[in-house]
Amino acid sequence: MKTSITFLALLLTVNTAFAQPSKEEQKIRKIFEKELKSKDVHNAFFAVHSDKLNLDWNWAEGEFKDGTKVTTDNPFFSASIGKTFTATTIVLLQEEGNLQFNDPISNYLSKEIMDSLHIYEGVDYSNEITVSQLLQHRSGLPDYFEDEPANGPSMRELLVTDTAHFWTPIELLLFAKDQIQPHFAPGTGYHYSDTEYILLGMIIENLTGKALHEVFAERIFRPLEMKHTSMYLRSKPMEKTGEMAELYVEDLEISTYTSLSLDWAGGGLLTTCEDLMKFEQALINGEIVSPTSFEKMQNWTLESKGMYYGFGFRKFDLKELFFTLPDVVLLGHSGSTGSFMYYCPEWDVYLMGTFNQTEYLREHVVFLAKVMTALKKRAES
């Protein structure tokens, strides 16, 4: 009997040891929870996965206004992460021979849409814009969401004032055409622009004869079993999904605003960390587009120091951002709501999540840098 008790005690000790979180997990959990103490952050989601480092965490913290706790089953508004989905769909159409990256977009859009689309310093460049320039933000077209209009309120102001308005893609395009001037001739610079992704969404619809959300479901969501992902206000997920996590502009909660429809092909998806993980893993591993096509998506142009942009795909060079950071890169995309979807090829680490706060557009990058620094010792041991 004494031997059995001793063996049981040993077994319990071993199991308890294995159940204890690692030092890295404890440290990163503290980094994550510290962000939740910010007055601007009401809820946050974070998932980390790495086969190489044996990591698999999926956390949700915070609560709804009624005091209910958020869980990993609550989908969140992923904002501009949706650009990677749009770009991936364009790449799929290219693989099928439906378009070429260097084709003028006038091949696929109506005369009405193309009319006076890009007039810069008195010259009409509309017919010179190519598909690749839209993908890489090199067309010179203005950003209907961030750029200031010539007259009246900006789209950011309309989001929180005209809250019941359902924005159609053509309305968004006309707002940019009528109210905001292009920044440069096509192919001569870089300017991040949601307007370009509205046009890419229109190209997808014209080539497929289907609504964009239907194309996403058919080509990406269903094949990858992304059961809890949908386009906000435009479609439903494959399976019953929890309530959308509340989204904030500073202290203003905007989750129920119909005006969020202004984010379409540039980022109108509701999703979860688990579903985003499925998507990025499939993209990285050549399960959606071919490895050759994925290489083309990494045709980088300089965005700013340490930041590069490809075809709906972004790269952070951490060492270039700041010399004390690990010498690795992050590949993926961010959103204006503090959302992120990244992969570190050097360490085989996936990072997904959001802070559901528009004030975290830059802060989430600092957060990711802290996480990667905390993982450095484990990754390089």
Side-chain angles (χ1 to χ4, degrees):
M1 175 67 83
K2 184 176 180 181
T3 302
S4 299
I5 293 173
T6 302
F7 176 77
L8 181 60
L10 177 62
L11 184 62
L12 288 172
T13 301
V14 171
N15 286 339
T16 301
F18 275 112
Q20 292 297 317
S22 66
K23 291 181 180 179
E24 291 87 0
E25 181 177 353
Q26 293 180 56
K27 186 172 183 179
I28 291 170
R29 184 85 192 199
K30 287 180 180 178
I31 294 170
F32 178 60
E33 291 176 348
K34 183 178 179 181
E35 300 298 332
L36 283 154
K37 294 178 182 178
S38 167
K39 67 179 182 65
D40 292 326
V41 177
H42 300 264
N43 62 77
F45 299 77
F46 184 43
V48 180
H49 180 82
S50 173
D51 290 333
K52 181 178 179 180
L53 304 184
N54 192 28
L55 305 175
D56 192 22
W57 312 326
N58 191 3
W59 304 329
E61 294 287 347
E63 56 187 34
F64 291 91
K65 287 187 295 186
D66 65 3
T68 306
K69 300 291 185 180
V70 299
T71 74
T72 55
D73 293 330
N74 293 114
F76 53 82
F77 193 78
S78 61
S80 285
I81 290 174
K83 288 183 173 65
T84 309
F85 288 77
T86 297
T88 298
T89 306
I90 288 288
V91 172
L92 285 171
L93 293 173
Q94 188 272 335
E95 288 184 337
E96 296 164 2
N98 292 303
L99 58 77
Q100 296 300 319
F101 296 133
N102 290 327
D103 286 346
I105 63 173
S106 56
N107 289 4
Y108 310 106
L109 296 169
S110 68
K111 184 178 179 181
E112 176 190 11
I113 289 173
M114 294 303 302
D115 184 43
S116 302
L117 178 64
H118 189 311
I119 298 177
Y120 177 68
E121 295 185 345
V123 180
D124 192 340
Y125 291 101
S126 303
N127 293 320
E128 296 183 21
I129 302 171
T130 66
V131 174
S132 65
Q133 288 167 354
L134 295 186
L135 288 166
Q136 205 171 23
H137 300 299
R138 290 181 54 82
S139 73
L141 289 171
D143 182 358
Y144 71 83
F145 187 64
E146 292 286 353
D147 292 345
E148 290 298 320
N151 300 293
S154 67
M155 192 59 69
R156 291 180 68 88
E157 292 173 304
L158 291 170
L159 169 65
V160 297
T161 56
D162 194 3
T163 60
H165 188 89
F166 184 92
W167 291 91
T168 64
I170 191 66
E171 283 181 303
L172 299 170
L173 180 63
L174 290 174
F175 182 88
K177 286 173 69 172
D178 297 343
Q179 292 289 337
I180 316 171
Q181 293 296 311
H183 294 271
F184 47 80
T188 63
Y190 175 91
H191 181 73
Y192 189 91
S193 172
D194 281 271
T195 308
E196 294 164 317
Y197 275 74
I198 291 293
L199 293 166
L200 288 168
M202 290 177 169
I203 289 172
I204 291 169
E205 292 195 333
N206 289 345
L207 287 174
T208 62
K210 299 177 181 179
L212 182 62
H213 61 267
E214 293 175 341
V215 179
F216 282 166
E218 178 183 294
R219 291 173 174 261
I220 301 177
F221 302 163
R222 285 199 289 270
L224 297 181
E225 296 188 354
M226 298 175 64
K227 298 176 182 178
H228 305 293
T229 302
S230 61
M231 183 168 280
Y232 185 59
L233 300 173
R234 290 180 164 92
S235 68
K236 299 292 183 182
M238 293 166 56
E239 292 187 358
K240 186 176 181 180
T241 301
E243 182 182 354
M244 172 185 172
E246 290 170 347
L247 175 63
Y248 285 81
V249 175
E250 297 181 346
D251 291 329
L252 180 65
E253 195 267 304
I254 65 171
S255 311
T256 60
Y257 289 5
T258 304
S259 53
L260 273 174
S261 56
L262 60 80
D263 218 353
W264 182 57
L269 300 183
L270 286 187
T271 190
T272 63
C273 287
E274 182 181 0
D275 277 3
L276 282 182
M277 194 81 71
K278 290 178 180 179
F279 172 69
E280 179 132 4
Q281 287 177 324
L283 188 59
I284 295 294
N285 295 325
E287 297 170 12
I288 307 178
V289 301
S290 70
T292 299
S293 293
F294 184 58
E295 284 295 319
K296 292 178 181 177
M297 292 179 73
Q298 298 176 72
N299 176 28
W300 306 116
T301 191
L302 180 66
E303 189 171 6
S304 62
K305 182 182 178 182
M307 295 174 58
Y308 300 85
Y309 206 91
F311 288 1
F313 214 53
R314 176 176 280 140
K315 177 174 74 171
F316 282 110
D317 186 321
L318 296 189
K319 194 77 170 179
E320 190 176 332
L321 279 173
F322 197 71
F323 73 96
T324 62
L325 294 177
D327 191 11
V328 296
V329 300
L330 298 179
L331 305 175
H333 216 290
S334 305
S336 62
T337 56
S339 57
F340 51 89
M341 175 189 73
Y342 284 102
Y343 173 67
C344 172
E346 293 89 350
W347 298 349
D348 184 39
V349 176
Y350 292 88
L351 307 153
M352 314 287 145
T354 186
F355 290 99
N356 272 326
Q357 171 58 256
T358 59
E359 296 301 297
Y360 259 63
L361 176 60
R362 292 176 177 82
E363 281 78 359
H364 81 273
V365 180
V366 177
F367 167 77
L368 291 175
K370 291 177 181 177
V371 169
M372 296 303 288
T373 299
L375 286 175
K376 182 178 178 179
K377 185 176 181 179
R378 181 164 181 164
E380 296 181 348
S381 62

